Amino acid sequence: MPRRRPGRPRRDDQRPTHELVLAAATALFAERGFDAVSVRDVAAAAGVDVATVAHHTGTKAQLYDACFARVFSAEREVLEAAGQRAAEALAAGPAQALRALHELVDVFVDFLEDRPETTALWLRRWLEPQRHAELDQRYSAPLYAQVERLLAAAAGAGALVEPAPHVTVRSLVWAVHGHVVALAARSGSGARERREFRAFVHRFLDGLYPPAAS
Amino acid sequence: MPRRRPGRPRRDDQRPTHELVLAAATALFAERGFDAVSVRDVAAAAGVDVATVAHHTGTKAQLYDACFARVFSAEREVLEAAGQRAAEALAAGPAQALRALHELVDVFVDFLEDRPETTALWLRRWLEPQRHAELDQRYSAPLYAQVERLLAAAAGAGALVEPAPHVTVRSLVWAVHGHVVALAARSGSGARERREFRAFVHRFLDGLYPPAAS
DNA sequence: GGGATTATCCAGCGGTCGTTGGATTAAAGG
DNA sequence: CCTTTAATCCAACGACCGCTGGATAATCCC
């Protein structure tokens, strides 16, 4: 959106430095964590100087936060679009709601499989409870509520009492993250692993709140 | 087992320094991670000097590994005892196997709820795929195999084909870790949260591989 | 009691960290 | 063309890091 700014760009017409730094930092932070990555590492990975990193993104902590905001807003964007489609199926009856539920979860799994650094950053954030609370409210709560609404529409009314829906949704989310971690630890493409996990997820959704009676 | 060794203990007859250091280091590493904890932090938390930490546990990396070994061997000890009890129920029929499965998982959940640092260390280890593989084989594989055997005994023979059992077990483990993380982020006792999670786990086990026909 | 042994601390070494001041260069604006 | 502005790098500062050599004191063994 902002046209070429003045300055002294070494590289002729690559991506803007801001993007380069953010991408390099995201990859490094996801792989090693905040404290194991030095600003000099980020600078070297981006092909610039330390002072340039500081010039663009300020403090190391600010750079860290910028990486999170970038990754999580991409996730939210995808999930909000899928949630929009699912919302339309809510009033159409249990069968449509269940199918919309499957679609929403599939979008979630696809996204995380394609971008494992998202899972890595989420796990690292979960390990910092004090900083995590706000992020959890901003990003996770709407997704959770959306899935819970679909569960309620797909299942009978009484089915939502005993296994509390937020526990169900949270466990599903963690199962997906565990799947991504297991995929990343593998050597091959993991195509079979992906298929098996999808079979599990569908069985999970259908089994916990069966559309018919229990 | 080894009686009081010679030396110059400042504290009169407390726990041995080795234990103090290891406990302090485990708490700090679980909370902040390897790189965010300095050996001086550990020494200060244990009330000793940096050199004393080095004298007892060697390198910082060795101290880290010692913390892992201590926590994970405690976990394995508890789970192996529970697995021993479950193994006896294997041949007694589907109903007994299912109850043994519930018991084994309950022991697992109880243990992690009481020792949240175990979950924190596991998650941190999962984020280091290269170092994680060996530990995964030594500690997790036997547990996974045990649960899969119980699943096979509790369900029909064909039920184990579609949702691959190792995916089922792994997802269950991650759900438990997610539960512990959510508990740690809470303010109160979380008694209701624990109850709801147990209800979810039992429903999970019963629903995925129902004892009768599907 | 008197070496031998062990645990503990103090002081410091070399290195890396995050951050910054200032010089240098290129584009933008008139 | 010349001033202004923005982007980049170099060099360095102070702080902290992991680790260790050596001094000191308490216990053990005989």
Side-chain angles (χ1 to χ4, degrees), chain A residues 30-32 35-36 119-121 123-124 126-129 132 159 162-164 166-168 170-172 174-186 192-193 195-197 199-200 203-204 207-210 214, chain B residues 30-32 35-36 119-121 123-124 126-129 132 159 162-164 166-168 170-172 174-186 192-193 195-197 199-200 203-204 207-210 214:
Chain A
E31 183 188 347
R32 307 186 209 158
D35 300 283
T119 280
L121 291 182
L123 291 183
R124 299 201 181 277
W126 263 316
L127 289 169
E128 308 165 358
H132 169 60
E162 192 26 11
H166 77 278
V167 174
T168 303
R170 184 219 296 148
S171 300
L172 179 62
W174 276 82
V176 176
H177 285 303
H179 166 63
V180 174
V181 168
L183 263 187
R186 276 186 165 273
R192 173 178 166 174
E193 189 77 21
R195 206 183 326 115
E196 289 175 342
F197 185 73
F200 163 77
R203 187 76 181 251
F204 178 94
L208 276 178
Y209 301 109
S214 170
Chain B
E31 184 188 346
R32 307 185 208 160
D35 300 284
T119 280
L121 290 182
L123 291 182
R124 300 202 182 277
W126 262 317
L127 288 169
E128 308 166 357
H132 170 59
E162 193 25 12
H166 77 277
V167 174
T168 303
R170 185 219 295 147
S171 300
L172 179 62
W174 276 83
V176 177
H177 285 302
H179 166 64
V180 174
V181 168
L183 263 188
R186 274 183 169 274
R192 173 178 166 173
E193 189 77 21
R195 204 181 328 117
E196 288 175 342
F197 185 72
F200 163 78
R203 186 76 181 251
F204 178 95
L208 276 176
Y209 301 110
S214 170

Side-chain angles (χ1 to χ4, degrees), chain B residues 14-26 46 56-57 70:
Chain B
Q14 243 180 331
R15 287 186 298 169
T17 308
H18 192 76
E19 293 285 339
L20 281 177
V21 171
L22 230 57
T26 301
H56 275 93
T57 57
R70 181 163 159 273

Side-chain angles (χ1 to χ4, degrees), chain B residues 18 21-23 25-26 29 34-35 37-39 42 50-72 121 125 128 131 135:
Chain B
H18 192 76
V21 171
L22 230 57
T26 301
F29 282 143
F34 180 82
D35 300 284
V37 173
S38 72
V39 182
V42 175
V50 253
T52 298
V53 174
H55 177 69
H56 275 93
T57 57
T59 308
K60 184 188 179 185
Q62 291 173 333
L63 171 61
Y64 194 57
D65 290 342
C67 292
F68 273 87
R70 181 163 159 273
V71 167
F72 292 158
L121 290 182
R125 190 61 105 170
E128 308 166 357
R131 296 185 187 171
L135 204 70

Side-chain angles (χ1 to χ4, degrees), chain A residues 11-191:
Chain A
R11 305 167 306 286
D12 298 323
D13 54 348
Q14 244 179 332
R15 288 185 299 169
T17 308
H18 192 76
E19 293 285 337
L20 281 178
V21 170
L22 230 56
T26 301
L28 287 174
F29 282 142
E31 183 188 347
R32 307 186 209 158
F34 180 81
D35 300 283
V37 173
S38 72
V39 181
R40 285 172 172 83
D41 291 338
V42 174
V48 296
D49 189 84
V50 254
T52 298
V53 175
H55 177 71
H56 278 281
T57 58
T59 308
K60 185 187 180 187
Q62 291 173 335
L63 172 60
Y64 194 57
D65 289 342
C67 293
F68 273 86
R70 182 163 158 274
V71 167
F72 291 157
S73 75
E75 183 190 14
R76 192 175 55 170
E77 194 173 327
V78 169
L79 291 177
E80 275 183 354
Q84 196 68 24
R85 270 176 268 127
E88 303 165 2
L90 259 181
Q96 283 84 352
L98 184 62
R99 194 169 53 218
L101 182 61
H102 281 199
E103 280 185 20
L104 179 57
V105 174
D106 283 345
V107 167
F108 182 54
V109 175
D110 288 344
F111 180 86
L112 288 186
E113 279 180 350
D114 288 346
R115 302 207 171 110
E117 74 273 11
T118 309
T119 280
L121 291 182
W122 264 120
L123 291 183
R124 299 201 181 277
R125 190 61 103 169
W126 263 316
L127 289 169
E128 308 165 358
Q130 68 286 6
R131 296 185 187 173
H132 169 60
E134 177 238 3
L135 206 69
D136 204 37
Q137 282 304 313
R138 280 190 49 185
Y139 288 97
S140 306
L143 168 65
Y144 278 38
Q146 181 79 257
V147 180
E148 287 175 22
R149 246 174 282 135
L150 286 169
L151 275 176
L160 285 183
V161 176
E162 192 26 11
H166 77 278
V167 174
T168 303
V169 178
R170 184 219 296 148
S171 300
L172 179 62
V173 170
W174 276 82
V176 176
H177 285 303
H179 166 63
V180 174
V181 168
L183 263 187
R186 276 186 165 273
S187 50
S189 74

Side-chain angles (χ1 to χ4, degrees), chain B residues 40-184:
Chain B
R40 285 171 172 85
D41 290 339
V42 175
V48 296
D49 188 85
V50 253
T52 298
V53 174
H55 177 69
H56 275 93
T57 57
T59 308
K60 184 188 179 185
Q62 291 173 333
L63 171 61
Y64 194 57
D65 290 342
C67 292
F68 273 87
R70 181 163 159 273
V71 167
F72 292 158
S73 74
E75 182 189 15
R76 190 175 57 171
E77 194 174 326
V78 169
L79 290 177
E80 275 181 356
Q84 196 68 24
R85 270 176 268 127
E88 303 165 4
L90 259 181
Q96 283 82 355
L98 185 61
R99 195 171 51 218
L101 183 60
H102 281 198
E103 280 184 21
L104 180 58
V105 173
D106 283 345
V107 167
F108 183 54
V109 176
D110 288 345
F111 180 86
L112 288 186
E113 279 180 350
D114 288 346
R115 299 201 172 95
E117 73 272 12
T118 310
T119 280
L121 290 182
W122 264 120
L123 291 182
R124 300 202 182 277
R125 190 61 105 170
W126 262 317
L127 288 169
E128 308 166 357
Q130 67 285 6
R131 296 185 187 171
H132 170 59
E134 176 239 2
L135 204 70
D136 204 35
Q137 283 302 314
R138 279 191 51 185
Y139 288 96
S140 307
L143 168 65
Y144 278 38
Q146 183 78 258
V147 179
E148 288 175 20
R149 247 174 283 135
L150 285 169
L151 275 175
L160 284 183
V161 177
E162 193 25 12
H166 77 277
V167 174
T168 303
V169 178
R170 185 219 295 147
S171 300
L172 179 62
V173 170
W174 276 83
V176 177
H177 285 302
H179 166 64
V180 174
V181 168
L183 263 188

